[in-house]
Amino acid sequence: MPTIENHIRDGEEALPRDELAALQLARLRDVVARVANVPFYREAFALRGITPKSMRSLDDLRRLPFTTKDDLRRHHPLGFLTVPRDQLARIHGSSGTTGKPTFVAYTAKDLTLWSDLCARFLVAGGLKSQHTVHVAFGYGLFTGGFGLHYGIEKVGAAIVPAASGNTRRQIEIIQDLGAEVLVCTPSYALTIAETARELGIDPRSLPLKYAHFGAEPWTEEMRQEIESQMDLLAFNNYGLSEVIGPGVSGECAMRDGMHLQEDHFLVECLDPDTLEPMPDGEEGELVITALTKEAMPLLRYRTRDIARLDRSPCACGRTTARMSRVTGRTDDMLIIRGVNVFPSQIEEALLRVEGTTPHYMIEVERPATLDQLTVRVEVMPELLSDRMDRMQHLRDRIGKEILTVAGIRATVELVAPRTLERFTGKAKRVNDKRGKQG
Ligand code: ADP
Ligand code: ZN
């Protein structure tokens, strides 16, 4: 397995906490002043008596209004701009995982900030100017491709903007150009590894040493799976278009949580129902305020992403808080027979059982009055041809793990290798048919 040295790109990542807090407060006042010309915020400020001066401490953040995806939709397409249209340099959109895409806008300065933030986590994850980076994220309205692209450029590494699709060709390009670094979704990395094997290429023999994965939830079990299949070190990074895109947080060499770029974002972790702060270490919804963005800084944006915060010091020397993996989104949480289940729990359970592959689909139905959960998982080829009692045993083991991890009984279907859908971008592994049935 490759190794990396600990490297910090910018001094602001390691500011003493009191200096960081002072910087955040100054920036909070500044952004409150700047968004006051957005009708949505102007009205909320008037109701609550909010002025920049009334932000006396960082605790005053809690007086500010939340911003939701629905608010963005209600002010479609660009009702949250704080600058005139002619100052815009780029417009992106969310991928529309949960409905109609929403647009986000950047000034030239925002684009510089964005590439700096991506450069930080890339450097934290071992990127050096002498590297060649294969970017297999889609280039388009989706923020992943362009965000990472310009971050890599900032670091000075060579970019191969392969974009998504045609996996065989991608493997050829990785081999021909000797890329040491891979950027894509974790699910696409699995597709690359599998396609390589089909071509008779051992994915471990590819030149890749490091990978930066993001844009979708994945588990620690998935990391181990990809790392052992491809012989590389995989780093997690997180972001969302409404806040800036990738670059909100990313892992350092310790790989024990993603450092939040707190000099530019104020991050809260709240109970999604009561909206009260969760104690550190407990799961809640991340709510993020962009402090320094120019074109469209959102206040207290409700990400719907569930994670935990850790403010304990990190051995890498950065002083910023870390967030855990995203364990799910409030909007992809399934309520099955009254039990809350996140797809990531199913993934964790599946990958604990030997003989299965990381390719699975989750289906929920309600044929009569009771919800039914079916988990389809591809098994290793050697197992499928095996005896019936062994298959039954495997099914039972998977069912038990799901019950342990997610607290719910599932019907497990073992299916042949390569029968489930493969993904080039964000994976869609849940099919909830309940709303669509009578
Ligand atoms: P959409 O909401 O349409 O998917 P984005 O393209 O902006 O729009 O995607 C952002 C979302 O992707 C985040 O809110 C989060 O749910 C998910 N995401 C991004 N990075 C990660 C990550 N490292 N781990 C888990 N989820 C992630
Ligand atoms: Zn660290």
Side-chain angles (χ1 to χ4, degrees):
M1 188 81 84
T3 53
I4 66 157
E5 300 147 28
N6 180 31
H7 194 69
I8 299 181
R9 181 178 157 88
D10 289 328
E12 293 80 59
E13 296 177 74
L15 283 179
R17 286 300 305 190
D18 55 340
E19 276 179 45
L20 177 62
L23 181 68
Q24 287 175 322
L25 182 58
R27 288 180 167 175
L28 179 62
R29 288 191 184 123
D30 180 64
V31 75
V32 164
R34 288 187 291 115
V35 299
N37 66 354
V38 175
F40 176 82
Y41 291 126
R42 189 171 52 227
E43 279 166 33
F45 287 4
L47 281 173
R48 295 160 194 236
I50 291 166
T51 58
K53 268 201 189 140
S54 74
M55 296 285 112
R56 291 195 184 81
S57 78
L58 286 174
D59 289 337
D60 285 318
L61 174 67
R62 299 200 53 202
R63 294 173 44 224
L64 298 180
F66 290 104
T67 312
T68 64
K69 188 100 175 170
D70 281 339
D71 295 327
L72 296 181
R73 291 206 173 107
R74 269 195 288 274
H75 297 84
H76 194 76
L78 289 169
F80 277 82
L81 286 191
T82 59
V83 298
R85 250 325 260 272
D86 62 5
Q87 285 186 29
L88 298 189
R90 181 97 62 80
I91 296 168
H92 277 283
S94 77
S95 350
T97 309
T98 55
K100 188 177 157 139
T102 45
F103 294 117
V104 294
Y106 303 76
T107 62
K109 203 173 141 212
D110 289 336
L111 292 177
T112 305
L113 168 68
W114 189 18
S115 44
D116 282 330
L117 295 179
C118 288
R120 284 186 185 176
F121 76 72
L122 287 163
V123 165
L127 185 65
K128 294 210 163 75
S129 59
Q130 57 267 37
H131 284 150
T132 299
V133 189
H134 186 93
V135 181
F137 263 149
Y139 280 69
L141 282 180
F142 170 58
T143 51
F146 284 100
L148 269 289
H149 182 97
Y150 289 108
I152 298 161
E153 192 172 271
K154 263 280 147 73
V155 180
I159 308 164
V160 184
S164 61
N166 199 346
T167 309
R168 289 173 177 230
R169 177 104 181 91
Q170 301 238 10
I171 293 167
E172 224 172 78
I173 297 171
I174 292 170
Q175 284 183 314
D176 288 352
L177 298 179
E180 299 97 341
V181 185
L182 174 65
V183 167
C184 60
T185 55
S187 50
Y188 191 56
L190 282 177
T191 306
I192 294 180
E194 181 178 62
T195 309
R197 280 192 298 272
E198 280 170 10
L199 296 170
I201 300 164
D202 177 1
R204 300 176 61 90
S205 73
L206 295 174
L208 302 169
K209 289 201 184 83
Y210 310 105
H212 292 276
F213 296 141
E216 65 182 12
W218 54 311
T219 56
E220 204 50 42
E221 287 75 13
M222 184 67 92
R223 163 146 57 194
Q224 283 161 21
E225 179 73 35
I226 298 171
E227 288 189 339
S228 75
Q229 282 193 29
M230 303 186 86
D231 190 27
L232 47 73
L233 268 181
F235 291 83
N236 194 7
N237 71 82
Y238 165 86
L240 63 166
S241 51
E242 293 85 354
V243 173
I244 197 160
V248 174
S249 68
E251 284 181 327
C252 65
M254 310 303 145
R255 304 200 302 167
D256 185 19
M258 295 181 275
H259 283 280
L260 288 156
Q261 313 236 38
E262 287 186 283
D263 48 338
H264 297 279
F265 308 109
L266 282 180
V267 182
E268 301 166 85
C269 180
L270 306 182
D271 179 315
D273 298 320
T274 65
L275 298 175
E276 287 300 313
M278 296 302 294
D280 284 354
E282 285 184 33
E283 279 188 349
E285 178 181 345
L286 299 182
V287 172
I288 307 182
T289 300
L291 295 171
T292 50
K293 261 174 49 189
E294 275 186 342
M296 203 179 135
L298 299 182
L299 303 183
R300 304 189 85 194
Y301 183 68
R302 293 195 55 183
T303 64
R304 304 186 285 186
D305 291 325
I306 303 290
R308 300 180 304 273
L309 295 187
D310 178 358
R311 287 174 224 269
S312 67
C314 181
C316 73
R318 286 175 187 79
T319 51
T320 45
R322 285 165 287 161
M323 61 179 266
S324 67
R325 284 179 177 285
V326 172
T327 52
R329 318 185 10 154
T330 52
D331 44 22
D332 67 20
M333 184 182 80
L334 296 161
I335 302 179
I336 301 168
R337 283 172 251 138
V339 181
N340 296 351
V341 179
F342 281 107
S344 62
Q345 295 176 298
I346 308 280
E347 176 174 307
E348 186 185 327
L350 287 176
L351 292 183
R352 283 186 185 181
V353 181
E354 201 126 338
T356 60
T357 69
H359 303 286
Y360 63 94
M361 268 304 290
I362 298 167
E363 195 175 275
V364 196
E365 289 170 293
R366 188 179 292 152
T369 52
L370 264 193
D371 297 331
Q372 235 171 52
L373 169 66
T374 306
V375 177
R376 293 200 178 85
V377 59
E378 292 183 9
V379 291
M380 308 264 190
E382 51 277 23
L383 268 163
L384 205 69
S385 54
D386 218 319
R387 299 201 327 260
M388 280 306 285
D389 58 336
R390 294 268 304 268
M391 298 273 281
Q392 186 54 46
H393 178 70
L394 184 60
R395 256 197 300 269
D396 291 347
R397 284 233 23 228
I398 296 172
K400 269 192 199 125
E401 282 298 336
I402 293 175
L403 187 62
T404 311
V405 179
I408 182 112
R409 276 180 209 289
T411 306
V412 178
E413 282 180 19
L414 304 179
V415 302
R418 298 279 316 165
T419 46
L420 300 178
E421 191 184 343
R422 295 297 186 263
F423 306 99
T424 56
K426 288 176 192 260
K428 282 201 180 70
R429 293 196 178 97
V430 179
N431 184 4
D432 192 341
K433 293 175 155 176
R434 286 175 297 187
K436 298 166 208 151
Q437 294 165 336

